[in-house]
């Protein structure tokens, strides 16, 4: 028995909504501690039967194989999703005569079989990659995979990816943050797939990334525990392969920020050129796959032009997210915005360029706060908390008062006895340094807040012109109320906007903000149990795999 577990995080896009679809612009995406986990366990065949895959084939396998005479049976894969009460087994076949259908999955044993494009395509594209990656040959890889009697894959996601309000109601619990924290991990979803309400944290990207990482790790193609430069190359190949599988499953080339963050963690993201994988999507439209050389050229040998700058939420700031429980149709919203931009490029580009200026301001401010926290951590923490306990309307006057007090202190010190000149100079230097840190932090927080207010205004303007509810009035009122609470720097609608969720970036008063959300009368708002966590995809062997 062999076992590997890989996990990948969900995400919150706080700047760059819609703009990340264009290579000219970037966006800030924070990853969270809600993760998808993929466990792969392999049961080896007994030594007596491992030499011949055909001898272990059941009558069902033989029937399938005889109908496709060029197919070589390799092994079975069982994909289990306890949260969806789902277990589906597939025969894996190798097609000797068609390199554009080299690996095939044949589902069996389930009358209620339902295609899962995200899982099935990720498995197939991973098998194609593994068959000739790092000097592997298809013959040696097929022999390796055939040595397993069964490969079991179990996939689960943290509760945060799905609205848990139905679970709270089912258990007769209050709709509250405390009730949400009390729920067991990896709860099954309630209702049908069509009724499933997600929280917009990038569940499909986290799933695909964790599954891709587990498959590549299980067969020894990558080593995510290695701390040297090799891991960066491994992660790049993993990222590129996950992007391909995700785009194929979606039927289009998206922005890719959700996969990039799932692999690399919190970051500033700029997309890759769609042309990199367009040919692969065209093949898929013809029900074909790339051969191993074509796929490896795309994901391993070609240098992609996406950019990601590692950047977590600055020290002392906290990310809050609320489930607004109304929901939006993101694909429809994106389509309408892109159609509007195509039909009215002058106005659209003017708004997008203004948004980019404000997004860039936020990026530079987060970078500056990260730098300030490293230069003088104790002083940084003290000053940040002081601003967190002040009303935001008093931030500017506080900076002005700090400057006046510092000037007065300097004057007083200068008027003291000349015998204490050295001490006076030291005091002046310390006071000036403290005052400078105070001003830098205060002005940076003010810029972040003002930029987010401008971003929200521009998004509302774009939504009004394009007739898309990017920040509906209900969300505007909730975000404004949230930003009025001491300690809140910014609040807004993440990603593509709409009704799915609301984020807040705060210094203090987290409980007050959460309580205000739970007491909101105009719609049901529930704070989610999550935190920003900059860790991307990772080996996670401590994970306990739940049973079906």
């Amino acid at each position: 028995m062999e076992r590997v577990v890989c996990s990948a995080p969900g995400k919150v896009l706080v700047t760059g909504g819609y703009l990340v679809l264009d290579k000219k612009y970037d966006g800030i995406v924070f990853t969270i501690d809600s993760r998808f986990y993929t466990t792969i366990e392999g049961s080896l065949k007994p030594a007596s039967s491992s030499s011949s895959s055909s001898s272990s084939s059941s009558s069902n396998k033989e029937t399938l194989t005889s109908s496709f005479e060029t197919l070589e049976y390799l092994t079975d894969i069982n994909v289990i999703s306890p949260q969806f009460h789902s277990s589906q087994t597939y025969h894996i076949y190798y097609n000797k005569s068609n390199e554009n259908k080299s690996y095939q999955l044949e589902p069996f044993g389930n009358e209620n079989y339902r295609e899962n494009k995200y899982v099935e395509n990720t498995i197939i594209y991973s098998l194609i990659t593994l068959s000739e990656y790092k000097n592997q040959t298809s013959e040696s890889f097929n022999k390796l995979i055939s040595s397993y009697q069964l490969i079991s894959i179990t996939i689960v996601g943290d509760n945060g990816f799905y609205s848990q309000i139905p679970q709270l109601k089912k258990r007769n619990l209050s709709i509250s943050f405390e009730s949400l924290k009390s729920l067991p991990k990896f709860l099954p979803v309630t209702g049908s797939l069509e009724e499933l309400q997600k929280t917009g944290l990038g569940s499909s990207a986290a799933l695909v990334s964790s599954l891709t990482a587990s498959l590549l790790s299980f067969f020894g193609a990558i080593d995510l525990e290695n701390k040297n430069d090799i891991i960066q190359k491994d992660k790049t190949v993993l990222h590129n392969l996950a992007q391909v599988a995700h785009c194929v499953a979606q039927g289009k080339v998206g922005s890719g920020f959700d996969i990039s963050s799932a692999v690399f963690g919190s970051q500033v993201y700029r997309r890759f050129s769609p042309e990199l994988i367009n040919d692969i999507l065209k093949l898929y439209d013809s029900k074909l796959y790339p051969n191993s050389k074509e796929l490896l050229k795309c994901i391993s040998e070609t240098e992609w032009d996406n950019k990601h700058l590692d950047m977590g939420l600055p020290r002392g700031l906290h990310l809050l997210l609320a489930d607004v429980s109304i929901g939006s149709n993101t694909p429809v919203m994106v389509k309408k915005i892109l159609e509007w931009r195509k039909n009215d490029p002058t106005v659209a580009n003017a708004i997008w360029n203004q948004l980019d200026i404000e997004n860039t301001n936020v990026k530079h401010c987060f970078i500056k706060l990260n730098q300030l926290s490293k230069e003088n951590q104790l002083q940084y923490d003290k000053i940040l908390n002081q601003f967190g306990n002040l009303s935001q309307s008093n931030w500017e006057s506080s900076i002005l008062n700090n400057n006046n007090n510092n000037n007065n202190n300097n004057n007083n010190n200068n008027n003291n006895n000349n015998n204490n000149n050295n001490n006076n100079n030291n005091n002046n230097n310390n006071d000036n340094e403290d005052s400078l840190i105070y001003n830098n932090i205060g002005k940076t927080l003010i810029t972040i807040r003002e930029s987010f207010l401008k971003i929200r205004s521009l998004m509302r303007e774009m939504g009004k012109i394009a007739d898309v509810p990017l920040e509906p009035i209900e969300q505007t009122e909730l975000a404004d109320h949230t930003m009025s609470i001491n300690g809140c720097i910014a609040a807004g609608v993440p990603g593509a906007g709409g009704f799915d969720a609301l984020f807040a970036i705060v210094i203090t008063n987290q409980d007050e903000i959460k309580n205000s959300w739970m007491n909101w009368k105009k719609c049901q708002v529930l704070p989610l149990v999550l935190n920003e966590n900059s860790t991307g995809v990772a080996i996670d062997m401590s994970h306990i795999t739940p049973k079906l």
Side-chain angles (χ1 to χ4, degrees):
M1 180 74 74
E2 297 182 8
R3 180 176 182 267
V4 68
V5 185
C6 290
S7 67
K11 51 70 189 171
V12 180
L13 184 72
V14 297
T15 71
Y18 295 97
L19 272 69
V20 290
L21 292 164
D22 189 321
K23 275 186 88 296
K24 286 171 57 180
Y25 309 107
D26 54 34
I28 299 171
V29 53
F30 293 127
T31 48
I32 54 175
D33 53 8
S34 290
R35 303 176 72 87
F36 257 80
Y37 299 83
T38 298
T39 303
I40 300 184
E41 297 177 287
S43 301
L44 290 168
K45 290 176 181 174
S48 59
S49 62
S50 61
S51 60
S52 173
S53 61
S54 59
S55 64
S56 65
S57 299
S58 67
S59 59
N60 186 29
K61 298 168 194 167
E62 289 168 353
T63 302
L64 284 166
T65 307
S66 64
S67 63
F68 306 101
E69 292 184 359
T70 60
L71 298 185
E72 174 191 352
Y73 167 74
L74 299 178
T75 191
D76 289 343
I77 283 185
N78 181 216
V79 179
I80 305 164
S81 178
Q83 290 165 297
F84 289 88
H85 309 286
S86 169
S87 175
Q88 177 60 55
T89 306
Y90 304 86
H91 297 316
I92 302 179
Y93 291 96
Y94 178 67
N95 193 330
K96 306 170 187 175
S97 64
N98 189 344
E99 64 177 10
N100 291 118
K101 283 190 176 181
S102 54
Y103 291 93
Q104 294 179 217
L105 295 180
E106 292 291 339
F108 75 95
N110 186 349
E111 293 180 358
N112 300 315
Y113 165 73
R114 184 170 183 166
E115 182 184 26
N116 188 327
K117 290 185 177 181
Y118 291 100
V119 169
E120 292 168 8
N121 281 300
T122 300
I123 292 173
I124 289 175
Y125 282 90
S126 296
L127 293 177
I128 296 170
T129 299
L130 288 161
S131 67
E132 294 195 20
Y133 185 53
K134 289 187 175 178
N135 300 318
Q136 181 77 268
T137 66
S138 58
E139 290 80 6
S140 61
F141 176 68
N142 290 347
K143 184 177 180 181
L144 171 63
I145 197 171
S146 295
S147 67
Y148 291 98
Q149 187 167 316
L150 178 69
I151 297 171
S152 295
I153 301 175
T154 304
I155 304 170
V156 292
D158 279 319
N159 293 342
F161 287 99
Y162 310 108
S163 176
Q164 297 301 322
I165 291 175
Q167 279 285 358
L168 296 177
K169 290 179 177 177
K170 181 180 177 182
R171 294 163 183 257
N172 294 318
L173 295 172
S174 62
I175 310 299
S176 69
F177 182 73
E178 291 303 318
S179 295
L180 204 58
K181 284 202 300 184
S182 73
L183 293 175
K185 287 176 70 70
F186 310 122
L187 279 173
V189 299
T190 57
S192 65
L193 281 174
E194 290 73 19
E195 296 168 331
L196 179 64
Q197 189 170 326
K198 298 182 180 181
T199 51
L201 300 181
S203 56
S204 64
L207 183 158
V208 167
S209 298
S210 69
L211 176 56
T212 306
S214 291
L215 285 164
L216 297 186
S217 298
F218 181 80
F219 288 106
I222 63 173
D223 181 4
L224 293 178
E225 293 182 305
N226 198 316
K227 301 302 180 185
N228 59 26
D229 292 341
I230 294 174
I231 193 173
Q232 291 308 316
K233 177 172 174 52
D234 283 350
K235 276 193 172 181
T236 298
V237 171
L238 163 59
H239 164 268
N240 297 352
L241 177 57
Q243 290 282 16
V244 168
H246 196 243
C247 288
V248 165
Q250 288 185 316
K252 62 183 177 68
V253 183
S255 65
F257 77 88
D258 44 6
I259 290 286
S260 184
S261 57
V263 173
F264 296 110
S266 296
Q267 62 186 260
V268 180
Y269 173 78
R270 185 165 295 199
R271 70 156 309 141
F272 59 89
S273 298
E275 294 77 21
L276 284 166
I277 59 176
N278 274 342
D279 288 344
I280 291 176
L281 262 69
K282 288 176 184 176
L283 277 173
Y284 186 74
D285 289 340
S286 302
K287 300 188 182 337
L288 298 172
Y289 296 95
N291 61 44
S292 57
K293 287 184 172 56
E294 291 169 335
L295 184 55
L296 285 170
K297 181 180 180 181
C298 173
I299 67 170
S300 179
E301 298 165 18
T302 301
E303 186 172 349
W304 286 35
D305 54 357
N306 59 300
K307 292 182 174 63
H308 71 274
L309 169 69
D310 292 342
M311 189 180 77
L313 194 62
R315 178 182 172 84
L317 304 190
H318 307 278
L319 179 69
L320 304 182
L321 198 73
D323 175 6
V324 181
S325 304
I326 299 176
S328 299
N329 191 328
T330 300
V332 171
M333 293 169 65
V334 172
K335 183 180 179 183
K336 288 186 72 173
I337 289 292
L338 293 181
E339 285 177 351
W340 161 72
R341 190 184 184 211
K342 181 179 179 181
N343 295 331
D344 194 0
T346 302
V347 172
N349 288 336
I351 292 176
W352 282 35
N353 287 335
Q354 290 178 67
L355 278 167
D356 183 53
I357 290 171
E358 302 306 330
N359 293 342
T360 302
N361 283 341
V362 173
K363 175 179 71 175
H364 289 158
C365 285
F366 282 155
I367 291 172
K368 186 171 185 178
L369 286 179
N370 278 321
Q371 291 172 338
L372 288 170
S373 71
K374 292 173 183 175
E375 290 170 4
N376 193 330
Q377 186 175 303
L378 290 176
Q379 192 72 350
Y380 170 90
D381 291 345
K382 176 184 172 184
I383 292 170
L384 192 67
N385 280 320
Q386 288 175 355
F387 278 99
N389 291 314
L390 274 177
S391 169
Q392 296 89 335
S393 60
N394 292 330
W395 284 359
E396 287 196 26
S397 60
S398 173
I399 294 171
L400 183 61
N401 289 337
N402 174 69
N403 288 335
N404 291 335
N405 291 336
N406 185 57
N407 289 335
N408 290 334
N409 288 337
N410 286 342
N411 290 334
N412 289 336
N413 286 334
N414 290 333
N415 290 330
N416 283 339
N417 194 299
N418 288 335
N419 291 331
N420 297 319
N421 271 345
N422 288 336
N423 289 335
N424 290 338
N425 287 335
N426 288 335
N427 288 336
N428 282 350
N429 290 337
N430 289 336
D431 289 344
N432 290 336
E433 182 181 345
D434 291 350
S435 178
L436 182 61
I437 296 172
Y438 191 95
N439 289 354
N440 277 337
I441 291 174
K443 289 177 180 178
T444 304
L445 294 175
I446 289 170
T447 301
I448 293 172
R449 185 175 176 84
E450 289 178 345
S451 288
F452 268 109
L453 287 169
K454 290 175 185 175
I455 289 166
R456 288 179 52 205
S457 176
L458 288 164
M459 292 294 278
R460 288 195 298 272
E461 180 184 351
M462 180 164 68
K464 184 177 180 180
I465 297 171
D467 192 27
V468 179
L470 299 186
E471 188 183 283
I473 184 63
E474 295 90 341
Q475 293 280 59
T476 297
E477 292 173 350
L478 181 59
D480 287 345
H481 171 74
T482 302
M483 288 187 71
S484 72
I485 298 173
N486 287 3
C488 182
I489 305 171
V493 186
F499 285 104
D500 281 341
L502 187 89
F503 75 85
I505 297 172
V506 306
I507 307 169
T508 55
N509 293 329
Q510 296 180 60
D511 290 341
E512 183 179 347
I513 291 170
K514 291 172 185 174
N515 287 331
S516 76
W517 285 350
M518 288 185 286
N519 293 323
W520 192 249
K521 303 298 183 186
K522 298 184 180 181
C523 60
Q524 192 166 59
V525 183
L526 180 62
L528 295 178
V529 182
L530 57 80
N531 295 288
E532 190 264 350
N533 186 308
S534 299
T535 305
V537 71
I539 295 284
D540 209 330
M541 296 304 291
S542 63
H543 168 72
I544 299 173
T545 307
K547 303 299 180 184
L548 184 64

